[in-house]
Amino acid sequence: MTFQDLHLLPALLRAADELGYKTPSAVQAAAIGPVLAGRDLIGCAQTGTGKTAAFAMPILQRLQSRIDKTHRPIRALILTPTRELALQIGESFERYGKYLSVRSTVIFGGVGQAPQVEALAHGVDVLIATPGRLNDLCDQGHIDLSLIETFVLDEADRMLDMGFIHDVRKVIARLPAKRQTLLFSATMPQEIAALTKQILRDPVRVEVKPPSSTVELIEQRLYKVDKANKRRLLVWLLKHRQEASVLVFTATKHGADRVVRELTQSKIPAMAIHGNKSQTARVKALSSFKEGAIRVLVATDIAARGIDIHELPLVINFDLPNVPETYVHRIGRTGRAGRSGLAISFCNFDELVYLKDIEKLTRQSIPVVEDHPWPMEIFEPTLKQPRPPRPSKQQPQANARKQPGAPEKSAPKQPEPARAPAPKPVPVKQPPAANLPETTHFAQQSAAQPSKSPARKYRSDPFAPPGKVVAFADGRRRPRRRSPGKQQ
Ligand code: AMP
């Protein structure tokens, strides 16, 4: 099938051609016709399948056919869960509608409302919005949704996950009963299935292949590495690889910030994008990355949801996700729309269970790279214990452990996006090698101070060359061999 077969306006065909779209993606081929014909639609498709064009192109065409330049009520509403996704959809409407006179604007929370209100006052045909800000501006009387002709509920399952379903229902209550409704959701939890029955009339169903099948396009590699050495491995890899843009996923927001600090220290330009960052910081990080001003973007799952970056050659899972579908979503950021890409994952001993789940879901085993400077040396799960106090920067690590009676300094607890049960590694801070006496033995220390030291029974020899096995799973250490020349 070609785009011409879809009966799209020449202006849309021209825009698609300029974007390099040769043939419609599966969701586009199935959805564009029915949406042009005014049908309701349920699309089981996720970001990365080309679903934005699947709804944006026919909506633009329908709007263009009856544009009144003197009076522009909002005629199409796209409701989407995150600001990033809203901005991206806004960009797509601009790109696909480049040769049309349809006007669109994007509104979302976390920023001042004045510029958004001003844009709305000029009149727009398409509004792309997140639910909170939309309800807010409706309540203030800045937005009237009574003339909406087409309503798109994007990433409905994500709306549910993020606790927006109440806001979504509030928006739906503001819409006219007679309208076209398109609902997109990667999965169909019960609540969303129930919602579809309430808000859609005789919908066409479009389902694109489940996400696990997209994995086949992507080259994958696994590096088994101890948690404490992940950051070293990351720097080493980035220095040895040529990719100009790399998206790195971490499990936590703190983790993302830590990785950015490490990379910056190693002179690798990087920024983080996560929920603790202001909207301005997130937009800046994303645009710096897209423009090539920084090489590495470090993201948590929620922040990265829906981010579309063109020709992303490499994704690195600094931490493996404990939800296997998340792995598929993450690596789907590379190898998009038929392009091939590479996904590298780091896996420490505790994450081997996640690896098993991922390989079960994708029905593939990820090739392991053995030849790297920091192979896994710890083959025991770390026990879950309270985080030890952070060592002060001035003190050597060996003396930095909490003294009896000293006040407990607890690190602020961060909600972690997609990591929950399963064995979770205790964060082990590896100090600068020179601060640790070679004879430090964590097994002895933890026996003497069970509640104050990490659960690790041994650690890498800080003076051993990278990759050399210096400890065994039972806690024994391999004695250091002296080089013959240095024997006294
Ligand atoms: P989406 O799922 O809408 O976020 O789209 C994912 C990516 O695929 C975006 O970078 C689009 O520009 C690109 N894309 C969408 N449709 C096509 C197509 N028919 N051919 C090639 N690339 C496309």
Side-chain angles (χ1 to χ4, degrees):
M1 182 182 274
T2 64
F3 276 105
Q4 278 79 6
D5 298 333
L6 293 169
H7 306 291
L8 289 167
L9 291 171
L12 287 165
L13 296 178
R14 185 174 164 199
D17 187 53
E18 284 181 9
L19 288 166
Y21 298 3
K22 301 272 177 280
T23 50
S25 70
V27 65
Q28 290 161 4
I32 289 177
V35 179
L36 268 180
R39 295 283 305 269
D40 281 6
L41 179 133
I42 300 178
C44 279
Q46 63 176 57
T47 304
T49 54
K51 79 170 153 107
T52 317
F55 64 76
M57 286 188 176
I59 288 177
L60 283 164
Q61 179 153 333
R62 282 169 64 85
L63 294 177
Q64 180 70 25
S65 65
R66 280 191 304 106
I67 285 267
D68 178 355
K69 289 185 181 164
T70 54
H71 171 61
R72 287 183 185 262
I74 301 168
R75 293 166 59 202
L77 170 67
I78 324 297
L79 199 59
T80 190
T82 67
R83 310 177 253 200
E84 283 75 18
L85 208 45
L87 283 167
Q88 228 164 256
I89 294 173
E91 277 171 26
S92 296
F93 267 89
E94 294 294 326
R95 288 202 308 241
Y96 303 141
K98 190 173 166 192
Y99 300 108
L100 301 173
S101 50
V102 177
R103 268 201 227 148
S104 59
T105 199
V106 181
I107 62 165
F108 46 79
V111 291
Q113 69 172 48
Q116 297 177 357
V117 171
E118 203 185 315
L120 288 163
H122 285 111
V124 291
D125 307 292
V126 184
L127 178 63
I128 300 122
T130 55
R133 175 58 56 96
L134 177 62
N135 279 319
D136 221 15
L137 294 187
C138 286
D139 289 343
Q140 293 176 44
H142 294 300
I143 294 176
D144 173 15
L145 298 179
S146 65
L147 294 175
I148 291 291
E149 295 165 20
T150 304
F151 168 54
V152 180
L153 179 55
D154 190 31
E155 306 236 347
D157 53 349
R158 201 65 184 173
M159 294 278 196
L160 188 68
D161 283 355
M162 294 173 77
F164 294 159
I165 203 71
H166 175 69
D167 281 329
V168 170
R169 286 188 182 278
K170 219 168 139 186
V171 171
I172 293 169
R174 299 177 192 272
L175 301 174
K178 188 167 172 293
R179 59 166 197 262
Q180 178 184 31
T181 304
L182 318 175
L183 181 144
F184 288 88
S185 197
T187 58
M188 205 44 76
Q190 219 174 11
E191 202 165 344
I192 298 302
L195 186 69
T196 60
K197 291 205 179 87
Q198 292 160 15
I199 67 168
L200 294 146
R201 274 174 300 114
D202 185 24
V204 176
R205 283 178 181 271
V206 170
E207 198 161 337
V208 295
K209 281 184 168 184
S212 49
S213 57
T214 62
V215 169
E216 287 147 26
L217 282 175
I218 299 159
E219 199 182 328
Q220 299 167 69
R221 294 285 175 270
L222 189 85
Y223 285 72
K224 292 187 177 168
V225 54
D226 295 333
K227 188 178 170 72
N229 284 332
K230 283 185 175 182
R231 57 199 172 91
R232 297 188 178 92
L233 179 59
L234 181 65
V235 170
W236 180 82
L237 266 176
L238 290 172
K239 292 210 159 154
H240 283 80
R241 300 197 59 93
Q242 306 301 322
E243 286 87 358
S245 300
V246 183
L247 181 59
V248 174
F249 283 98
T250 60
T252 66
K253 300 174 222 177
H254 273 334
D257 286 336
R258 235 181 346 252
V259 167
V260 167
R261 277 199 301 276
E262 295 284 343
L263 295 180
T264 311
Q265 274 167 19
S266 304
K267 310 254 178 308
I268 299 170
M271 284 186 184
I273 183 166
H274 57 63
N276 281 1
K277 297 270 178 198
S278 69
Q279 175 60 14
T280 322
R282 288 158 77 165
V283 171
K284 181 161 181 255
L286 196 54
S287 57
S288 306
F289 187 58
K290 284 185 175 180
E291 287 157 14
I294 53 165
R295 184 176 170 212
V296 183
L297 185 68
V298 187
T300 55
D301 288 305
I302 288 195
R305 176 86 185 190
I307 290 179
D308 175 34
I309 297 143
H310 291 271
E311 297 176 30
L312 186 59
L314 174 60
V315 164
I316 297 182
N317 290 309
F318 188 85
D319 300 305
L320 270 189
N322 67 348
V323 175
E325 286 82 3
T326 303
Y327 173 83
V328 177
H329 284 301
R330 285 182 181 184
I331 73 165
R333 309 272 151 226
T334 181
R336 313 200 86 189
R339 295 182 198 108
S340 67
L342 173 65
I344 288 178
S345 299
F346 295 173
C347 177
N348 63 22
F349 186 85
D350 296 290
E351 292 170 321
L352 287 171
V353 283
Y354 307 150
L355 176 66
K356 216 167 130 199
D357 289 345
I358 289 165
E359 293 188 331
K360 198 167 146 201
L361 175 78
T362 60
R363 295 197 203 95
Q364 290 180 0
S365 77
I366 309 175
V368 178
V369 178
E370 308 273 2
D371 185 21
H372 69 87
W374 289 280
M376 192 189 282
E377 296 173 340
I378 295 175
F379 302 96
E380 271 188 352
T382 40
L383 299 174
K384 196 168 174 157
Q385 282 201 354
R387 189 193 282 263
R390 288 171 190 277
S392 105
K393 282 198 178 122
Q394 287 79 29
Q395 274 179 312
Q397 172 77 14
N399 301 331
R401 298 184 178 284
K402 183 177 171 280
Q403 298 302 311
E408 194 76 49
K409 188 184 157 209
S410 61
K413 182 126 183 76
Q414 285 298 309
E416 302 196 1
R419 289 170 90 85
K424 201 175 151 200
V426 172
V428 177
K429 266 200 107 119
Q430 188 153 329
N435 284 349
L436 260 173
E438 195 187 347
T439 49
T440 302
H441 198 299
F442 280 29
Q444 288 156 7
Q445 290 205 358
S446 55
Q449 302 177 327
S451 63
K452 290 164 201 153
S453 55
R456 283 177 61 174
K457 291 201 175 115
Y458 47 85
R459 61 178 301 283
S460 302
D461 182 339
F463 300 105
K468 189 173 163 201
V469 174
V470 294
F472 301 96
D474 59 4
R476 281 178 296 127
R477 290 174 62 79
R478 173 174 286 177
R480 282 190 77 204
R481 264 188 240 122
R482 292 207 179 127
S483 67
K486 287 190 181 164
Q487 268 173 353
Q488 291 164 0

